Amino acid sequence: MARSSLLLHYFSGSGSGSFKRIFFFIPTTLALTTSLFILFSISTTSNLFTHYHPPDPSFLGLNSPFGSSTFSPLTRQTVSISFHNHSKTPFQFQVPQIVHLGEGGLGSQRPLEPRSPPDGNYVNYNEVYHDRDIFVEDYKEMNRSFKIYVYPHRRNDPFANVLLPVGSEPGGNYASESYFKKVLMSSHFITKDPTKADLFFLPFSIASLRHDPRIGVGGIKDFIKDYILNISQKYPYWNRTGGADHFYVACHSVGRSAMDKANEVKFNAIQVVCSSTYFHPGYIAHKDACMPQIWPRQGVLPNLSSSNRKKLAFFAGKINSPVREKLLQVWRNDTEIFAHYGRLKTPYADELLGSKFCLHVKGYEVNTARIADSLYYGCVPVIIADYYDLPFADILNWKSFSINVATLDIPLLKKILKRFSFEEYLMLQRNALKVRQHFQWHLSPVDYDAFYMVMYELWLRRSSVRLPLNAFVHPN
């Protein structure tokens, strides 16, 4: 009884302050300790308290006034995702997921140590490849083992002109598409056994569809939609992956919008296009790839030893974009930067040979043939095209042989170019000459030319797991 009265006294009476403090201190301490323990557990097992690091602009492909946008090389791991398809139930398939390794590797599945210093700003301006040794090693493996299956079409097919390679030698501003298709179809990469194929080629030609009076630009979307529906019903290969191991090639910008009625192609298949821009929602790096737009030239490369480059920079072309309008507005009457519109009075080749820097300026699209033109004539490319996924960016260190200028910095163009010493310019030019072999087409392909480089980009994007034909079971 006395003990009960004592407890009651402490709970209710005056003079119980010390006990109250002790009584309330104990549960408060326990609660605080528990909370700290929970927070510690969360911080060690999740990203909730991970410090935010702003993305590196070069990693995102955004433009910098002093260098071109480059990407970390690719490697692969496998994840399960759903695909768009003609069935009401989404398919499940193992497809490659891109993992960025920094400057270390090029699509190889081996782990590599990054070689950047702690500040993360390392760029080897003397090396035109992210990692030459790995590129050469993997290139040999690609050349040995890579196999492509092409959907067969007969010469008496009503649309043989669209589905088969062109008979003549490709020409014109968008020749890259026709060159690739013509060379691929006669290459050792082709297999007639679909079970051995790493990728499947959708052989329709956007360039031919544009000029076919039965289709035209307005009918391309319906043609592509019907084509995908037909092969998905006739063959099992599209349906088992939702198109993830398929690809098509197009150089004209129409090729990108041609997929608007075939979302399976846009979101699942590999799009190899010249108009490769991050700004367009239909282009997904690194699922898709950039193919260089190259004006075909035959014969021996020009002799550059006699070139006298007195002009600082040169541009000529149509004024078909606000970016080009701005360039002409600022530099049209300059004595060192020669910016022209309309027809030149002097040969185009002479202007390229007489200039230190040649400007690739965004027009209607981010891509033009001017980068390849510059490299062909030994002129250092200056890229003024925001959000351009540059050709072969998985392989080439663009900062070593070109300059990237943000469109907002056009008024600073001369200042930016003159920051480079003569020795630095010579280094850029020497590197430009090293990579120009990658920007040339040949009807009989030559090692490391544009055809083989596009094939390597496709090889990087192949699935790391090849499914047998009986591996796919349609869900109930």
Side-chain angles (χ1 to χ4, degrees):
M1 182 68 180
R3 189 175 299 173
S4 300
S5 300
L6 182 61
L7 289 174
L8 181 62
H9 173 75
Y10 276 113
F11 276 104
S12 60
S14 59
S16 61
S18 61
F19 179 81
K20 285 181 178 180
R21 285 191 294 272
I22 295 173
F23 180 79
F24 288 107
F25 174 76
I26 292 174
T28 303
T29 302
L30 290 173
L32 180 60
T33 303
T34 303
S35 300
L36 291 174
F37 177 77
I38 293 173
L39 292 173
F40 176 77
S41 299
I42 294 174
S43 66
T44 57
T45 58
S46 74
N47 296 323
L48 182 61
F49 294 96
T50 301
H51 293 290
Y52 172 73
H53 298 283
D56 180 2
S58 65
F59 171 79
L60 294 176
L62 302 179
N63 288 337
S64 163
F66 307 108
S68 69
S69 58
T70 58
F71 276 106
S72 304
L74 304 179
T75 190
R76 311 208 158 256
Q77 61 173 262
T78 304
V79 295
S80 179
I81 67 172
S82 299
F83 293 96
H84 298 270
N85 58 80
H86 298 291
S87 170
K88 295 180 180 179
T89 307
F91 297 155
Q92 299 292 325
F93 175 62
Q94 300 297 107
V95 294
Q97 180 188 36
I98 305 307
V99 179
H100 302 279
L101 292 180
E103 297 281 345
L106 286 167
S108 172
Q109 297 179 27
R110 62 181 67 82
L112 297 168
E113 292 297 325
R115 295 179 297 162
S116 300
D119 62 7
N121 293 323
Y122 173 79
V123 177
N124 183 0
Y125 289 99
N126 294 315
E127 180 53 69
V128 298
Y129 305 100
H130 294 301
D131 194 311
R132 182 183 180 278
D133 293 338
I134 289 180
F135 169 51
V136 171
E137 180 182 342
D138 286 350
Y139 179 92
K140 292 177 182 177
E141 174 61 24
M142 178 272 297
N143 213 0
R144 181 190 67 82
S145 63
F146 195 30
K147 294 300 177 185
I148 303 294
Y149 180 81
V150 183
Y151 286 104
H153 296 283
R154 298 178 179 178
R155 295 206 170 271
N156 61 356
D157 189 297
F159 291 99
N161 62 308
V162 171
L163 300 170
L164 298 178
V166 295
S168 59
E169 185 170 335
N173 207 23
Y174 304 104
S176 292
E177 175 187 322
S178 298
Y179 260 108
F180 176 83
K181 184 176 178 180
K182 192 176 183 69
V183 176
L184 173 66
M185 298 296 280
S186 60
S187 74
H188 68 279
F189 295 107
I190 296 296
T191 179
K192 294 184 178 180
D193 185 353
T195 65
K196 296 181 179 179
D198 297 289
L199 292 177
F200 293 77
F201 180 42
L202 303 170
F204 49 76
S205 168
I206 298 298
S208 298
L209 286 169
R210 286 177 59 232
H211 298 296
D212 192 314
R214 298 168 296 175
I215 304 167
V217 174
I220 292 180
K221 297 176 185 179
D222 289 316
F223 182 93
I224 301 300
K225 177 184 176 182
D226 292 340
Y227 184 84
I228 299 301
L229 180 61
N230 288 336
I231 65 167
S232 68
Q233 292 177 345
K234 187 175 181 179
Y235 301 94
Y237 319 122
W238 178 275
N239 291 333
R240 66 175 180 159
T241 67
D245 54 358
H246 288 57
F247 73 96
Y248 79 93
V249 173
C251 199
H252 195 281
S253 58
V254 173
R256 233 177 25 198
S257 59
M259 307 303 144
D260 287 349
K261 292 186 178 181
N263 285 331
E264 307 97 322
V265 179
K266 182 186 299 185
F267 296 116
N268 298 346
I270 301 167
Q271 302 178 96
V272 183
V273 295
C274 291
S275 51
S276 52
T277 171
Y278 313 112
F279 192 74
H280 194 284
Y283 181 85
I284 306 172
H286 287 288
K287 175 182 75 67
D288 302 327
C290 177
M291 180 171 63
Q293 184 175 344
I294 302 171
W295 189 274
R297 293 181 174 88
Q298 302 300 325
V300 182
L301 289 170
N303 183 2
L304 305 178
S305 60
S306 61
S307 60
N308 187 9
R309 302 183 184 274
K310 295 182 178 180
K311 297 176 181 178
L312 178 64
F314 164 74
F315 170 81
K318 295 179 180 179
I319 309 306
N320 56 0
S321 72
V323 180
R324 293 186 180 183
E325 289 178 3
K326 183 66 176 178
L327 179 78
L328 267 293
Q329 176 187 338
V330 177
W331 299 110
R332 182 175 179 179
N333 298 317
D334 193 78
T335 58
E336 294 179 281
I337 295 178
F338 290 79
H340 300 268
Y341 74 96
R343 185 174 296 275
L344 285 170
K345 296 180 180 179
T346 55
Y348 182 59
D350 290 350
E351 296 292 344
L352 295 172
L353 287 168
S355 304
K356 293 183 175 68
F357 299 99
C358 294
L359 309 183
H360 168 98
V361 187
K362 180 187 183 301
Y364 179 74
E365 287 288 348
V366 295
N367 57 293
T368 74
R370 286 173 180 80
I371 289 179
D373 291 344
S374 302
L375 296 173
Y376 187 83
Y377 289 103
C379 187
V380 176
V382 178
I383 301 158
I384 310 177
D386 295 347
Y387 312 112
Y388 186 12
D389 185 15
L390 293 165
F392 315 138
D394 303 310
I395 309 160
L396 300 179
N397 173 19
W398 278 82
K399 292 180 180 179
S400 70
F401 62 89
S402 69
I403 300 170
N404 203 337
V405 176
T407 56
L408 290 175
D409 290 335
I410 287 176
L412 303 175
L413 179 60
K414 184 186 291 189
K415 183 177 181 181
I416 291 170
L417 297 181
K418 287 198 168 184
R419 285 178 182 173
F420 291 86
S421 66
F422 183 67
E423 290 75 16
E424 290 171 331
Y425 164 75
L426 289 179
M427 178 191 66
L428 289 169
Q429 189 194 38
R430 283 195 298 268
N431 289 340
L433 296 180
K434 289 179 184 178
V435 302
R436 69 174 176 173
Q437 62 175 325
H438 304 314
F439 293 82
Q440 296 172 45
W441 292 106
H442 305 90
L443 288 177
S444 296
V446 177
D447 257 339
Y448 302 105
D449 71 356
F451 170 73
Y452 278 108
M453 294 293 280
V454 173
M455 291 301 294
Y456 186 82
E457 289 280 22
L458 285 167
W459 185 79
L460 290 178
R461 286 156 175 79
R462 77 202 186 285
S463 174
S464 59
V465 177
R466 184 184 299 170
L467 290 185
L469 287 178
N470 59 1
F472 174 73
V473 179
H474 197 290
N476 295 326

